[in-house]
Amino acid sequence: MSEHHLVHWYSPDHESHSFYEANLENSYALTRFGKYIQLLRDRFGDYAGDLISDIITLGHASVGDLTRTYVPLADEPGPLIEIIPSEHCSLPSGKHYMKSDNFTKETAHTADDLHSIVGELLRAGVLRSVHESYFRPAADNIAEAEASVPYDSSTKGKKQQEANWEASVQKKLEDWKYGSKAETKALAQTLRGMKRTYEGDEDEQPSKKRRIAGFRNCSNGTGGNQDSASSGWLDHDLLLRVNHEKLTIMMRNQQLVTLAEDSVGTPTSTVYAELLRLAEPQLRKCKNELNFAGDDTEIDLRALPQVSTEDLAEIMYSTQSPPDLSGAIGYVDPSRIDLRKLLNQPKKSRKRRKTVGQDVDEASVEGSASSDESEEESSGESEPDTPNTTPETTPKMNGAATRTDTLRQPLLLLAEQPQQFLIPVPRTKADPEKWAIPYPTLSKTLLHNAILNITTSRFGPLATRLIRILAANDNGTKLDEKMLVLLSLIPQKQMRTLLHSMHRAGHIELQEIPKDSSQRRPGMTIFFWFFDPQRARKRILEETYKTMTRLVQRAGVEREGVRGTVEKAERTDVVGREEELLGEEELRALGEWREKEERIWGEVGRLDELVAVLRDF
């Protein structure tokens, strides 16, 4: 279990025994096994899906193990062919190769293909190198970091010394988890195929090579390629693991795209999907990543991931099939768009300048003009009221929209939605046009929609109306029954039934305030109702966990009833030949079991999407 990262362990140097702790995050991540594989296959291809499947099954794997499994042995001449799983396979995918005369290029991959796809997954953050801190519990990692960071007493002030030491400890923990600057730089150089040079004598070069996070340029043909030194191959001893946090970010982006598609249509949502993909490298984790300035309504745009319109246009129009936005809603002629107003740019103010000791305006002197009017009067026309944009992004007056002008249409539409999918960043002369993604606000929107959907399915649309009314008073205001009757237009008797049902389920909260503290009678008490999204989230999350557990137990019970038939159908000599080797009753029982299993695990997958919104986003 420790090898599969299902259990944390720690062995202190001064003690002879080890301590173990369950890794709940990775244990639950096994529920999303199929989602991860399908997500990566859609984005990177089937080859990437097979790699991730093997790494998740093993917990971690080295580049050498992946190479020996996925790359045919080329030490002997002759064709190769992929065969069925055998006991000699090093990975659970069972890919193994033997000599045959029926080999085709489609049945095997080269070492260049393997290192290319692994490098692409590393660049996207889906894979990360394994550090020893990944096996330890969080508390032990903090203790190790505090022991390894020296206390600097040269700084004046005890509080400042403690602040600097705590910052160093936090930086040490981040370096262990995400890699230091040197490791990140070495990774970038390797992925670009750049060959690093080393100082010193040529004969001493192998002993002086610095291995940074396991990356190096193989100069001895480790992968069977003589050009590996210039191709920037990865070290075969490098251990890789799956970065679940990055995959959670991709899952959140999928739900945001679905929400945008329901709001503004498919053409606009495709632009939004590409913009979210460009913002993924700027995020390390899905939750608690962004900082706020002031209250929740004032978001620091500098802390939000930002994407420029130029970068988005370069990516979307670099493919063979450019985006088709002809069916997008809200199309406007680019020449009629007031960019200054939409991008929160103030208008330029014209001020007359006076020279020192000059009591009258220059323009009042006959035969002369002021310094700020001379150029305008000589041209005979005033400066147009347009923002300070570059020629590429400025709308053409003849109506021929450029690529950035075309993409600006759906981006503005997304920014104007009530969900506020995007926030336009104020423009400057140096910075290009950028759009910020308010992930905290969007996560709250997803959470609110999930709670409303659960409330509607359990208590009906009238209960959802009450939740909306209570949620609108998010400043802490509580409402009594009389006010709720006036706002919801629901009969008092029916409303009381809904309020008490939702209160028992934990969706809303109740506060009792007695009119007289000495007499706590119901007739002398005022009941105030309010909605706390965090309390409702915890209650629904707890119930969702219980439901998933019962479904998994139900699947085990159903399987036990046809255990003999299922085990017989899973034998390697029966797989693919069920109709020949199984009887009629066995085939019927097997079909019924597979149908039940599909329904049960499909429901578990839908509940996992709810868990992602309630817990991870």
Side-chain angles (χ1 to χ4, degrees), residues 282-295:
Q282 303 179 37
L283 296 174
R284 284 184 172 181
K285 54 185 178 180
C286 190
K287 201 172 183 179
N288 299 329
E289 174 70 17
L290 306 175
N291 299 323
F292 296 87
D295 55 3

Side-chain angles (χ1 to χ4, degrees), residues 360-412:
V360 295
D361 194 279
E362 292 179 348
S364 62
V365 181
E366 184 179 358
S368 63
S370 62
S371 58
D372 60 342
E373 290 179 339
S374 58
E375 182 178 357
E376 180 178 327
E377 292 179 358
S378 61
S379 60
E381 56 185 19
S382 61
E383 183 182 355
D385 188 17
T386 57
N388 187 12
T389 56
T390 58
E392 182 181 355
T393 60
T394 301
K396 298 182 179 180
M397 299 307 295
N398 57 4
T402 61
R403 294 178 176 178
T404 53
D405 297 331
T406 304
L407 291 180
R408 188 181 294 113
Q409 300 273 342
L411 296 177
L412 292 173

Side-chain angles (χ1 to χ4, degrees), residues 97-223:
Y97 295 91
M98 62 176 293
K99 297 298 174 179
S100 174
D101 297 331
N102 300 323
F103 172 76
T104 60
K105 294 182 179 180
E106 288 78 13
T107 58
H109 296 278
T110 63
D112 290 334
D113 295 336
L114 175 66
H115 285 264
S116 176
I117 193 62
V118 172
E120 189 174 356
L121 293 173
L122 284 168
R123 192 181 298 108
V126 177
L127 291 179
R128 281 195 176 277
S129 58
V130 178
H131 191 268
E132 59 181 353
S133 62
Y134 190 64
F135 297 91
R136 295 193 296 252
D140 295 320
N141 280 331
I142 295 176
E144 288 288 335
E146 291 176 349
S148 61
V149 174
Y151 195 87
D152 187 9
S153 59
S154 60
T155 307
K156 295 182 179 180
K158 185 175 182 180
K159 292 184 177 180
Q160 186 63 31
Q161 292 176 2
E162 293 179 355
N164 295 341
W165 181 75
E166 291 177 358
S168 301
V169 171
Q170 187 64 29
K171 185 178 182 304
K172 174 69 70 173
L173 292 173
E174 292 181 356
D175 290 345
W176 287 349
K177 188 173 184 179
Y178 302 109
S180 62
K181 292 183 178 180
E183 295 170 353
T184 305
K185 184 178 179 180
L187 169 62
Q189 291 179 350
T190 304
L191 296 180
R192 286 196 304 265
M194 298 176 59
K195 179 181 178 181
R196 297 196 302 271
T197 56
Y198 301 89
E199 298 180 358
D201 187 59
E202 233 178 39
D203 298 334
E204 300 177 358
Q205 179 179 342
S207 61
K208 288 189 175 183
K209 285 188 178 181
R210 297 177 302 169
R211 295 192 178 187
I212 305 177
F215 295 99
R216 66 182 174 87
N217 285 346
C218 305
S219 58
N220 55 357
T222 306

Side-chain angles (χ1 to χ4, degrees), residues 61 69 209 280 325 408 433 452 615:
T69 302
K209 285 188 178 181
E280 286 177 1
L325 302 177
R408 188 181 294 113
E433 179 181 296
L452 290 182
R615 187 193 67 178

